[in-house]
Amino acid sequence: PDDGERERKVQKFLAKRYEPFVEYAKKILFEKVNNVIISNRLTTEPCVVVADTYGHSSFMDKIQKAQMFNSNSDDNPLSDFKKILEINPHHKVIQIILDKINDPFYNSENQADTTVEELVSLLYETAAFHSGFASSDANEFSKKFYQIYSKALGVISM
């Protein structure tokens, strides 16, 4: 009985601590995710993308996109279900991004740096790919990856 109470207290603490990350990710990924939640099941990955209750699994998503007469138009209600992003609060990547979000210098109005926004977006895209969901635009994904990778290495982009 004590373990259940302790686990609830830990989850409540983590939810409060990571609230800025969750709100920031929801704002950045509003077109792609229905919710961002703190996971209690992830151990090694920073995050994972899962289907919503009424959404398609990654396998069903692939089947639907492979249909011969499938149209990718905006009027198709089955074209893109929003997903859930589960974050691992114990992973160093998530902790570093949270620190950057909480940094008062980053949150100032005159800051033109979009690195954290790019990191969150790329983290989602990578997690979706790892979870089996097809990338909506492979060229855009690789472009984001190379930009962030170049910044990390100190290479000036063209």
Side-chain angles (χ1 to χ4, degrees):
D2 291 335
D3 290 341
E5 182 66 29
R6 182 179 181 279
E7 186 64 32
R8 278 192 296 275
K9 286 181 180 179
V10 167
Q11 281 300 110
K12 188 175 180 179
F13 169 77
L14 290 173
K16 182 71 174 163
R17 181 169 183 236
Y18 282 88
E19 187 176 355
F21 185 101
V22 169
E23 293 304 317
Y24 187 82
K26 282 181 183 178
K27 183 176 79 172
I28 299 300
L29 304 169
F30 72 95
E31 292 179 343
K32 299 174 184 175
V33 298
N34 194 24
N35 202 2
V36 178
I37 61 173
I38 308 296
S39 180
N40 58 357
R41 62 188 178 124
L42 293 176
T43 56
T44 57
E45 294 87 9
C47 60
V48 67
V49 175
V50 295
D52 198 359
T53 304
Y54 299 106
H56 287 137
S57 67
S58 61
F59 186 69
M60 284 302 296
D61 192 48
K62 287 178 185 174
I63 289 173
Q64 184 220 348
K65 289 183 180 183
Q67 293 296 317
M68 191 159 104
F69 298 110
N70 182 27
S71 68
N72 288 333
S73 65
D74 292 336
D75 59 344
N76 184 358
L78 300 175
S79 63
D80 277 326
F81 276 104
K82 290 187 176 183
K83 298 157 186 71
I84 296 174
L85 177 65
E86 288 187 28
I87 62 170
N88 180 358
H90 306 293
H91 198 279
K92 192 67 176 170
V93 168
I94 300 297
Q95 293 169 355
I96 290 171
I97 292 175
L98 176 66
D99 291 341
K100 289 187 179 291
I101 291 170
N102 287 332
D103 186 357
F105 295 111
Y106 175 75
N107 290 326
S108 65
E109 291 296 322
N110 57 7
Q111 180 97 11
D113 186 20
T114 60
T115 304
V116 176
E117 184 176 327
E118 292 169 348
L119 286 172
V120 170
S121 179
L122 185 63
L123 194 63
Y124 168 79
E125 293 290 333
T126 306
F129 178 72
H130 186 254
S131 297
F133 292 98
S135 177
S136 58
D137 188 359
N139 289 332
E140 186 64 27
F141 173 76
S142 61
K143 181 180 166 185
K144 282 184 204 176
F145 175 80
Y146 290 133
Q147 284 176 340
I148 291 176
Y149 201 78
S150 296
K151 282 183 184 179
L153 294 175
V155 176
I156 299 172
S157 299
M158 290 184 208

